[in-house]
Amino acid sequence: MIIAIALGLALGVEQFLIKPYRIPSGSMEPTLAVGQRVLVNRIAMTFSEPHVGEIAVFHPPGGAERQQCGPIPHAITFGAAACAAPIAKEAGVTFMKRIVAGPGDDIYV
């Protein structure tokens, strides 16, 4: 009975409150290292507006992990514009990225 309660509590906490993730790539270095584990507060993600400097966890549009864009998949080339018509279905992977600009901000690379 104790094991069932503990398992139910652990699954409930993961589903609604805090979700653990593992950093899969070096895109967040030097802030987060590859293989590092982080806990994401699901309540804050649900009720707060994203702001510059925050790390966002999200499911990208389908094909994003393969750098494909649109209903007719084509590769995104260096220096090209962002994807104008992404696939409506979410990808099965989870992205973790830092927000570097907000509405109305211009980004130059």
Side-chain angles (χ1 to χ4, degrees):
M1 183 66 168
I2 292 174
I3 293 173
I5 292 172
L7 184 61
L9 186 61
L11 292 174
V13 165
E14 183 177 325
Q15 183 66 34
F16 299 109
L17 300 176
I18 298 173
K19 175 106 174 160
Y21 288 98
R22 191 164 186 239
I23 307 299
S25 69
S27 68
M28 291 297 295
E29 288 181 342
T31 307
L32 300 171
V34 176
Q36 187 175 1
R37 297 177 196 276
V38 295
L39 296 175
V40 176
N41 181 347
R42 289 182 158 212
I43 294 173
M45 286 178 52
T46 304
F47 296 111
S48 67
E49 290 292 321
H51 60 276
V52 175
E54 180 178 55
I55 296 175
V57 179
F58 60 96
H59 293 282
E65 71 275 9
R66 295 180 309 278
Q67 295 186 355
Q68 292 179 339
C69 172
I72 302 171
H74 61 280
I76 301 170
T77 58
F78 180 75
C83 186
I87 299 171
K89 187 179 98 174
E90 288 184 348
V93 298
T94 303
F95 279 13
M96 187 175 296
K97 303 294 178 190
R98 181 176 309 282
I99 299 173
V100 296
D105 291 346
D106 292 329
I107 300 175
Y108 298 95
V109 179

